[in-house]
């Protein structure tokens, strides 16, 4: 009659996420995209190891979507220059590796992409904690091309 308990939990989590997105700075939105891709890859690893092929495929597809439609789409190559071009190539590489991991059912490839995303997220977090100085070219460029 009132739905399952899980439905209520999911609805509550969705409202919390939507509120977080609405209140987030452009920098925080990028962090949320990294985190979402990492959660999807962890889920894919878990499902790959347990033999749940369908859920593994869904999780990998979600990670690819976050990387391509979120992280890559947020790049402004005109403003970000070489940094943005390099990130675009790296995101393209990660998406291709995720596809290969899905086809070959290879957890090592998922772990490779996971490590790359963690390194990028950690670097992004460090940039966000540092106030931009006119003499610091990289942080200035990186904060500009990631506006969402």
């Amino acid at each position: 009659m009132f739905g399952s308990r899980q439905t209520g939990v999911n609805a509550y989590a969705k409202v919390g996420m939507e509120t977080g997105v609405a209140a987030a700075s452009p920098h925080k939105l990028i962090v949320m995209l990294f985190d979402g891709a990492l959660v999807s890859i962890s889920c894919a690893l878990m499902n790959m190891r347990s033999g749940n092929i369908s859920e593994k495929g869904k999780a990998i597809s979600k990670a690819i979507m976050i990387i391509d439609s979120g992280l890559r789409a947020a790049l402004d190559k005109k403003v970000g220059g070489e940094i943005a071009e390099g990130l675009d190539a790296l995101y393209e590489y990660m998406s291709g590796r995720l596809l290969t991991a899905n086809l070959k059912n290879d957890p090592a490839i998922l772990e490779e992409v996971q490590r790359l995303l963690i390194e990028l997220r950690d670097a992004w977090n460090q940039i966000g904690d540092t106030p931009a100085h006119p003499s610091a070219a990289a942080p200035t460029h990186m904060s500009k091309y990631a506006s969402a």
Side-chain angles (χ1 to χ4, degrees):
M1 173 191 232
F2 293 108
S4 72
R5 182 176 196 188
Q6 189 61 39
T7 302
V9 170
N10 289 341
Y12 183 78
K14 184 176 180 189
V15 168
M17 182 189 66
E18 289 171 355
T19 302
V21 168
S25 67
H27 182 271
K28 180 64 178 168
L29 289 172
I30 298 300
V31 172
M32 292 172 79
L33 288 170
F34 282 126
D35 288 343
L38 286 166
V39 166
S40 293
I41 291 171
S42 292
C43 188
L45 275 165
M46 180 186 69
N47 284 301
M48 183 181 284
R49 289 178 176 138
S50 68
N52 190 341
I53 301 303
S54 174
E55 291 302 312
K56 172 206 71 165
K58 287 178 189 176
I60 290 174
S61 293
K62 185 173 182 180
I64 292 170
M65 184 198 65
I66 291 169
I67 290 169
D68 287 345
S69 300
L71 293 168
R72 282 185 81 187
L75 294 172
D76 184 339
K77 294 178 193 168
K78 291 179 185 172
V79 176
E82 289 181 30
I83 294 171
E85 291 289 340
L87 285 171
D88 185 60
L90 184 57
Y91 293 147
E92 182 177 6
Y93 170 80
M94 285 190 259
S95 292
R97 293 297 285 162
L98 289 171
L99 183 59
T100 300
N102 194 23
L103 294 172
K104 293 185 174 183
N105 212 40
D106 187 342
I109 297 172
L110 290 178
E111 291 166 349
E112 172 197 1
V113 175
Q114 190 175 47
R115 283 189 302 274
L116 290 170
L117 285 169
I118 289 169
E119 287 178 28
L120 286 173
R121 184 198 59 199
D122 291 349
W124 189 252
N125 278 328
Q126 288 178 352
I127 291 167
D129 294 339
T130 306
H133 298 292
S135 62
T140 302
H141 288 327
M142 291 187 77
S143 63
K144 288 181 181 176
Y145 71 76
S147 61

